[in-house]
Amino acid sequence: MDQQDYITINQKPYKIIKLLGKGKGGYSYLVTDGKTEYVCKQIHHEH
């Protein structure tokens, strides 16, 4: 994953630091807003 990747949540960009893990339901990323680090879970929508 490129260090310049971003994800937008509620119209606010977060820089993706690294992929923490992936599973059946989705992905977990370590992200930052420049001040604080967060874990972001991106959920897969299965039909």
Side-chain angles (χ1 to χ4, degrees), residues 13-27:
Y14 292 86
K15 183 177 179 181
I16 298 173
I17 299 170
K18 68 178 179 177
L19 176 66
L20 296 175
K22 59 184 176 178
K24 184 178 177 183
Y27 298 95

Side-chain angles (χ1 to χ4, degrees), residues 1-18 29-41:
M1 177 171 294
D2 184 13
Q3 286 293 325
Q4 299 303 314
D5 288 340
Y6 286 82
I7 190 166
T8 302
I9 303 166
N10 295 330
Q11 293 80 44
K12 185 173 180 184
Y14 292 86
K15 183 177 179 181
I16 298 173
I17 299 170
K18 68 178 179 177
Y29 297 99
L30 179 63
V31 301
T32 184
D33 62 3
K35 299 176 191 171
T36 307
E37 293 181 349
Y38 305 93
V39 173
C40 173
K41 293 191 81 170

